[in-house]
Structure formats: C-alpha cells, structure tokens
Amino acid sequence: MKKVIYCFSGTGNSLNAARIIAREMGGATIVPVKKGVESDLAMDADVVGFLCPVYEWDIPETMKDFAQTLTVNPKAYTFMVATYIAIHGRCFETMDAILREKGTHLHYGKALRCVASQCVAYEPFPAPKLMVPYSDACARRLGKQIAAQKTNKYPRMSPITRSRYDKMMVPFLNVQHEYDKGFYTSDSCVGCGLCQKICPCKNITMQEGMPQWNHSCLGCNACVVYCPRKAILFKTPEAYEKLDNAITHRLGLPENRTRYHNPHITAKDLISDKAVTVE
Ligand SMILES: Cc1cc2nc3c(=O)[nH]c(=O)nc-3n(C[C@H](O)[C@H](O)[C@H](O)COP(=O)(O)O)c2cc1C
C-alpha cells in the first residue's frame, strides 16, 4: 500500500506528529512542503495525508498553494491533522474544498493541541515539558484511527470565530507582507546561513553575510528558534502598530525569550527537502 504524508512545519510540532502518525500507520513517506516543491506521489497513493500548523485560523498559505498543485488519486483515503493551540478556524474546510476540486474530499480531519510556538508574541505555552508528551500521546491515538481509515465529520469553524474573522483576521492578513520588516539581527549573528536554509517559504537571502527577509514570510519562526546564536530579534513592524489589535501592538522578541522548537525535531530534519520514508 502506498502512503504519503505532506508536511509543512516551522517549529517542528507538525513534523514530529507526522512521524508518530506514520509509525502508527505501519509506515509512510513524509514529503516536506515548502515553497516551490512539487510531488507526484499522491497520484497513485492509497493514503494521502496532510500535516501542518493552524496559522491565522486557516492552513498556511504555502500548504494551500502546494495542495492546489497536487493530483490526488480519487480512490485514496485522505486525512489532515492540524497542530494548533486554541482556534483551528476553517483549516479543514479549506483542505476539503481543495480536495473536492480534485474529485475527492477530506475523509478524516483532527486538530492536535501542541505547544504554542509564536515566540514573537509570548513565551511558549503550556509548559513544553508537560505538553510535548501529551501531544505525542494524542498523535499516537490519531495515528491508530488513521491506520484504521476512520472517517469523521471534521471540525468546522465555530460561529463565534466566523463572526470575528473579518474584524480580527482580515486587517492583519492585509499587512502580512510587512511582517518580516520586524526582523533584525544582533551582533551575535555570524552569517552561518542556517536561517536561509531552514525557511520553508524561501524568504531569506544572505546579503553581505547577513540574512535579509524578502516579504513573503508566514511568521513560522523556524529562522528564529533554530538560530544557533539566538541572534534573530523582532520588533513590531510599523504597519502592525496601526492595527486595532491588542496582540499585534505588543510583538517583540527579546533576547531572553524562550525560543521553543519541538525537542524531537532538529534543524537538519527541517532543512532537508527530501522525502523520508518512516517505517
Ligand atoms: C504565525 C502563526 C500563527 C498561528 N495561528 C494560530 C491560530 O490561528 N490558532 C491556533 O490555535 N494556533 C495558532 N498558532 C500556533 C501553532 O498552530 C502551533 O504552535 C503549531 O503547533 C506550530 O506548528 P509547527 O511547530 O509545526 O510549526 C500559530 C502559530 C504561528 C507561528
């Protein structure tokens, strides 16, 4: 049986969950989803899965763009697990709509609570020491359901979230291209280029040995949390100061903030563009 999992991950929670689920499924090929990546594995696969974080109550743009390019075997069992902390929003509806355009649909969707990794806004929570083993146990449970090809009525966007989307999310998304103007480097930066290699959006180039962000950032934080020198800092970009939103006014990444990434996932794991078969 041919099983493929497409995975987008910034701070490793989704890749870690993908690996756990693949093992529970008795093995699967995990394909990293990054800007510009293409794959034809779903064309004749028996199982096609998607693993990604929830960003802004939806799936990350890079995952959306990638899924739209796929040809999916209409007979395949399809699933999506979205890692998140509190509001999954419309992520399953988005993936289902993409799959329906391809003549199939989402057979199973579940949200998986993980450590919140938006370090430019807050310390990671709940405490990773407690939360990571809890998320891993939940991922194993979901993996067993997926292995048995369970189907469900995936979680929909709640009416409250839906009613707030236009006021809370749209103004923020309208200025998202300005987001990475908030990044800068401290004197600790040695120009190693790891940030450029790890960015799943291919948004970073090195200019005279220093990273430059090129305005197609999704805010995944991979560059920040895997920087070996903790040299990447962040201040609220000007466009965000003008937003009527209590959180975006207070963005910032001081040197003493914990740079959380999933403890099972290394920078090397995320840098690789190669598909990996998990037994
Ligand atoms: C840019 C960004 C936006 C996020 N938006 C949401 C959200 O809308 N709802 C939510 O519950 N969690 C949100 N989170 C938390 C992530 O979904 C969660 O930490 C996820 O497990 C990160 O996955 P990763 O480690 O694979 O990148 C967001 C995190 C980031 C970095």
Side-chain angles (χ1 to χ4, degrees):
M1 202 187 257
K2 192 169 163 185
K3 295 173 267 185
V4 59
I5 299 178
Y6 294 110
C7 177
F8 176 96
S9 188
T11 57
N13 289 339
S14 308
L15 180 55
N16 180 53
R19 287 179 173 182
I20 292 173
I21 289 167
R23 281 197 289 271
E24 293 297 332
M25 289 163 67
T29 300
I30 303 178
V31 179
V33 171
K34 301 181 182 187
K35 193 167 185 182
V37 160
E38 288 174 7
S39 166
D40 57 9
L41 292 179
M43 208 183 285
D44 58 353
D46 304 289
V47 178
V48 179
F50 300 90
L51 255 291
C52 67
V54 177
Y55 281 176
E56 281 87 47
W57 304 350
D58 207 336
I59 61 174
E61 219 41 55
T62 305
M63 180 55 117
K64 213 180 284 179
D65 293 346
F66 171 79
Q68 268 153 354
T69 67
L70 276 183
T71 304
V72 180
N73 173 10
K75 291 193 182 132
Y77 168 76
T78 64
F79 72 89
M80 177 160 100
V81 173
T83 68
Y84 81 132
I85 183 60
I87 304 177
H88 55 68
R90 63 179 179 202
C91 61
F92 302 102
E93 282 139 292
T94 299
M95 186 55 82
D96 189 35
I98 294 172
L99 291 173
R100 279 179 193 276
E101 277 174 21
K102 300 177 186 301
T104 180
H105 67 280
L106 189 62
H107 294 94
Y108 175 94
K110 280 276 186 184
L112 172 66
R113 279 220 159 83
C114 289
V115 174
S117 56
Q118 225 167 349
C119 64
V120 298
Y122 40 64
E123 280 286 326
F125 72 94
K129 266 192 180 156
L130 300 174
M131 192 62 189
V132 172
Y134 170 79
S135 303
D136 289 358
C138 294
R140 283 193 287 276
R141 186 167 46 77
L142 302 190
K144 286 186 176 58
Q145 293 176 1
I146 292 162
Q149 303 208 351
K150 286 247 162 77
T151 58
N152 69 357
K153 246 186 118 190
Y154 58 77
R156 266 50 177 189
M157 192 179 205
S158 77
I160 297 178
T161 309
R162 200 177 297 278
S163 70
R164 294 191 179 159
Y165 190 86
D166 284 353
K167 185 160 187 295
M168 284 188 69
M169 224 27 106
V170 173
F172 173 66
L173 294 171
N174 284 343
V175 291
Q176 202 180 16
H177 56 282
E178 302 268 332
Y179 176 83
D180 63 7
K181 289 187 179 171
F183 286 120
Y184 61 104
T185 48
S186 71
D187 292 344
S188 310
C189 177
V190 291
C192 70
L194 186 142
C195 50
Q196 179 192 23
K197 292 185 203 133
I198 208 167
C199 174
C201 302
K202 312 280 183 214
N203 181 45
I204 301 175
T205 46
M206 299 301 284
Q207 301 287 323
E208 293 169 12
M210 301 298 264
Q212 180 176 298
W213 287 263
N214 295 306
H215 316 311
S216 54
C217 174
L218 295 180
C220 78
N221 291 318
C223 60
V224 174
V225 302
Y226 284 100
C227 173
R229 313 274 302 186
K230 296 187 183 168
I232 300 176
L233 307 175
F234 189 85
K235 59 178 169 18
T236 305
E238 227 175 274
Y240 280 58
E241 280 171 9
K242 294 178 192 142
L243 295 177
D244 178 21
N245 181 316
I247 295 179
T248 50
H249 280 180
R250 285 189 277 111
L251 293 179
L253 181 59
E255 285 185 57
N256 61 0
R257 171 81 49 78
T258 309
R259 270 99 170 129
Y260 165 86
H261 63 74
N262 188 284
H264 306 303
I265 301 298
T266 63
K268 208 170 150 205
D269 294 328
L270 287 169
I271 286 171
S272 172
D273 287 343
K274 290 204 180 95
V276 174
T277 300
V278 172
E279 304 291 338

